[in-house]
């Protein structure tokens, strides 16, 4: 599978069905609810080599804090919320954490907040959960979302304010369910956010996960998907805009452990300003039992100024030859001057033309959220980013 659409004129590579084995196999990593099973990272580990580890020491400390985010939730009928224990969360079938910050968050969160949708229930509107940081304190959180068989739900979590926030988000998607989960990082300058989002997808279920990261000084988010039965569909979408000094890191992992499943990963980022940094790592593992699956991952980065850097690393491990398709593509580059010339030749000023290209670049992901109120917020925030642009 080779991606041929490239309106930005950036360099790109794509592999269809080949095997790219990373330096350490993705499935070799520790999974546990016990913090002691995870040593404190030093930055030389494969999973931490792109991250500013020295600035994140508080996230690795297995210490309780009193800080919490202020939560303001607008929940539709049919979605219930309760506080449960970590043991009760494990009984729901959540996946185990895969790095030290997430396991510390799971154990040090004051409570586990459980949002649940019963089987055969369709929410008539999106659930909006606003999480507001209360200052520069270390804060731990654990959210569990469970959606019953043949239910349908959209849940949006907005993060704003100032915090050093470490979270574990655990999603259990029942057989035949249709779930969209949106996480918005709209933090103030100075905020730090580390999170692991895990989903277990049931038989013939549909799961869409969307990360949008526009704020915060350091944001590092992992999204992991595994299947509990054949026929599941997973779509992971991401959008990020890094300004000067920001480090925005997103990692995805699709564990194809079941037959006849599909996955699609599509992340887009723009960067501007000195030391603006983005990292995207996409891992896909196709196990021997994952027969007749189809997977594809794509990351595109648009560099808007000198001094910005984007790292993009797709990894594909294939352990069976009996698959429908597998591929990945990655691209990083600047504007296509011919595209700009085309717009300017129709009377559009150069600065406006460049902004139009950026808006169009992001619009593909924003439209897939399908929550008009959230789309409006994101369009406004991107306009703010562009108003500070050094295009």
């Amino acid at each position: 599978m080779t991606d041929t659409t490239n309106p930005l004129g950036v360099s790109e590579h794509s592999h269809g069905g080949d095997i790219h084995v990373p330096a350490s196999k993705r499935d070799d990593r520790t999974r546990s609810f016990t913090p002691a099973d995870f040593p404190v990272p030093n930055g030389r580990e494969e999973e931490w080599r792109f991250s500013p580890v020295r600035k994140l020491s508080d996230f690795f400390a297995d210490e309780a804090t009193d800080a919490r985010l202020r939560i303001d939730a607008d929940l539709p009928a049919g979605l219930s919320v309760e506080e449960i224990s970590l043991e009760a969360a494990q009984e729901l079938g959540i996946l185990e954490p895969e790095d030290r910050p997430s396991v510390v968050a799971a154990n040090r969160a004051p409570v586990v907040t459980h949002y649940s949708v019963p089987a055969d229930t369709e929410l008539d509107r999106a659930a909006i959960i606003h999480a507001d940081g209360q200052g520069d304190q270390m804060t731990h959180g654990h959210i569990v979302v469970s959606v019953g068989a043949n239910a349908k739900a959209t849940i949006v979590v907005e993060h704003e304010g100032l915090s050093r926030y470490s979270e574990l988000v655990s999603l259990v998607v029942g057989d035949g369910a249709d779930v969209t989960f949106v996480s918005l990082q709209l933090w103030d300058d100075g905020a730090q956010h580390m999170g692991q989002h895990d989903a277990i997808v049931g038989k013939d279920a549909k799961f869409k996960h969307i990360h949008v990261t526009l704020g915060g000084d350091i944001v590092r988010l992992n999204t992991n998907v595994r299947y509990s039965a054949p026929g599941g569909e997973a779509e992971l979408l991401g959008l990020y805009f890094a300004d000067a000094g920001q480090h925005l890191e997103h990692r995805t992992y699709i564990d194809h452990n079941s037959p006849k499943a599909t996955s699609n990963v599509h992340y887009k980022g723009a960067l501007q300003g000195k030391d603006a940094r983005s990292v995207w790592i996409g891992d896909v593992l196709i196990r021997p039992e994952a027969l007749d699956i189809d997977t594809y991952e794509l990351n595109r980065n648009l560099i808007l100024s000198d001094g910005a850097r984007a790292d993009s690393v797709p990894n594909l491990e294939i352990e069976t030859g009996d698959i429908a398709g597998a591929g990945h593509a990655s691209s990083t580059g600047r504007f296509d001057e011919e595209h700009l010339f085309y717009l300017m030749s129709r009377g559009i000023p150069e600065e406006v033309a460049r902004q139009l290209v950026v808006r169009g670049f992001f619009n593909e992901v924003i439209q897939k959220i399908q929550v008009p109120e959230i789309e409006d917020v994101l369009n406004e925030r991107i306009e703010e980013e562009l108003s500070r642009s050094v295009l």
Side-chain angles (χ1 to χ4, degrees):
M1 298 174 63
T2 302
D3 182 79
T4 58
T5 58
N6 191 7
L8 300 172
V10 295
S11 60
E12 183 166 319
H13 73 269
S14 178
H15 302 273
D18 62 339
I19 303 175
H20 179 198
V21 180
S24 61
K25 293 191 66 175
R26 188 59 173 79
D27 191 44
D28 291 340
R29 296 184 188 173
T30 301
R31 297 184 180 90
S32 173
F33 281 100
T34 303
D37 291 340
F38 297 86
V40 175
N42 57 34
R44 293 188 295 273
E45 303 85 354
E46 175 65 24
E47 62 266 38
W48 289 102
R49 65 189 180 95
F50 291 103
S51 306
V53 168
R54 293 183 180 178
K55 299 179 180 180
L56 300 170
S57 58
D58 286 352
F59 288 84
F60 307 134
D62 185 15
E63 300 173 355
T65 69
D66 296 329
R68 295 195 186 191
L69 302 182
R70 186 178 65 222
I71 304 298
D72 182 14
D74 180 13
L75 306 181
L79 176 64
S80 62
V81 59
E82 61 178 340
E83 294 182 351
I84 62 175
S85 67
L86 178 57
E87 291 73 20
Q90 291 175 256
E91 291 175 1
L92 293 171
I94 66 174
L95 299 179
E96 295 175 313
E98 293 191 2
D99 64 18
R100 185 172 176 87
S102 59
V103 72
V104 170
N107 282 271
R108 294 301 186 177
V111 298
V112 180
T113 305
H114 178 210
Y115 298 92
S116 61
V117 180
D120 302 310
T121 300
E122 181 173 347
L123 303 186
D124 60 1
R125 59 184 176 86
I128 308 295
I129 302 165
H130 184 80
D132 192 25
Q134 299 301 290
D136 189 22
Q137 303 106 337
M138 191 66 224
T139 306
H140 300 108
H142 187 187
I143 292 175
V144 173
V145 177
S146 62
V147 180
N150 303 309
K152 185 175 182 179
T154 297
I155 298 174
V156 180
V157 181
E158 299 177 288
H159 300 98
E160 291 190 302
L162 180 64
S163 182
R164 283 179 291 158
Y165 181 52
S166 184
E167 68 171 350
L168 176 64
V169 177
S170 306
L171 301 110
V172 180
V173 181
D175 295 348
D178 187 344
V179 177
T180 298
F181 186 84
V182 185
S183 178
L184 307 179
Q185 284 59 248
L186 309 177
W187 298 105
D188 291 347
D189 293 342
Q192 297 179 350
H193 182 185
M194 300 189 70
Q196 179 176 315
H197 293 201
D198 292 329
I200 183 77
V201 180
K203 178 178 174 59
D204 298 327
K206 295 180 180 180
F207 174 63
K208 181 189 293 184
H209 183 282
I210 302 172
H211 265 316
V212 178
T213 304
L214 302 177
D217 281 355
I218 301 174
V219 178
R220 184 185 192 270
L221 301 171
N222 300 327
T223 306
N224 306 319
V225 173
R226 196 178 303 168
Y227 302 85
S228 62
E233 299 179 17
E235 184 175 24
L236 275 53
L237 305 171
L239 179 158
Y240 48 91
F241 199 136
D243 283 321
Q246 279 187 299
H247 179 101
L248 307 182
E249 183 169 344
H250 299 84
R251 293 169 173 260
T252 62
Y253 174 39
I254 305 292
D255 185 352
H256 274 288
N257 61 331
S258 185
K260 298 186 180 299
T262 64
S263 65
N264 179 58
V265 178
H266 189 175
Y267 272 63
K268 285 188 171 185
L271 301 90
Q272 65 179 6
K274 184 178 180 348
D275 296 327
R277 178 77 182 276
S278 73
V279 177
W280 176 83
I281 309 294
D283 291 331
V284 175
L285 171 61
I286 304 173
R287 298 179 183 271
E289 62 270 26
L291 305 177
D292 198 28
I293 67 93
D294 196 347
T295 181
Y296 191 71
E297 55 180 352
L298 172 65
N299 176 231
R300 283 185 172 164
N301 297 288
L302 182 59
I303 305 295
L304 304 178
S305 70
D306 294 334
R309 173 179 170 180
D311 288 290
S312 180
V313 185
N315 297 309
L316 183 60
E317 300 177 60
I318 304 175
E319 298 179 346
T320 176
D322 190 2
I323 59 176
H328 57 219
S330 172
S331 64
T332 299
R334 295 181 177 272
F335 286 105
D336 183 348
E337 295 301 327
E338 291 185 2
H339 193 187
L340 290 176
F341 177 78
Y342 174 84
L343 293 172
M344 294 169 61
S345 68
R346 276 139 182 84
I348 300 174
E350 180 178 358
E351 181 178 351
V352 175
R354 291 178 180 269
Q355 292 176 350
L356 285 173
V357 171
V358 177
R359 294 188 192 101
F361 179 69
F362 282 139
N363 195 50
E364 182 181 4
V365 173
I366 293 176
Q367 286 186 332
K368 289 188 177 183
I369 296 176
Q370 297 181 340
V371 181
E373 299 87 348
I374 299 302
E375 292 179 13
D376 291 342
V377 169
L378 294 181
N379 283 319
E380 290 175 5
R381 291 295 294 262
I382 290 174
E383 288 298 323
E384 292 176 8
E385 296 280 355
L386 290 173
S387 70
R388 300 193 296 268
S389 176
V390 290
L391 296 175

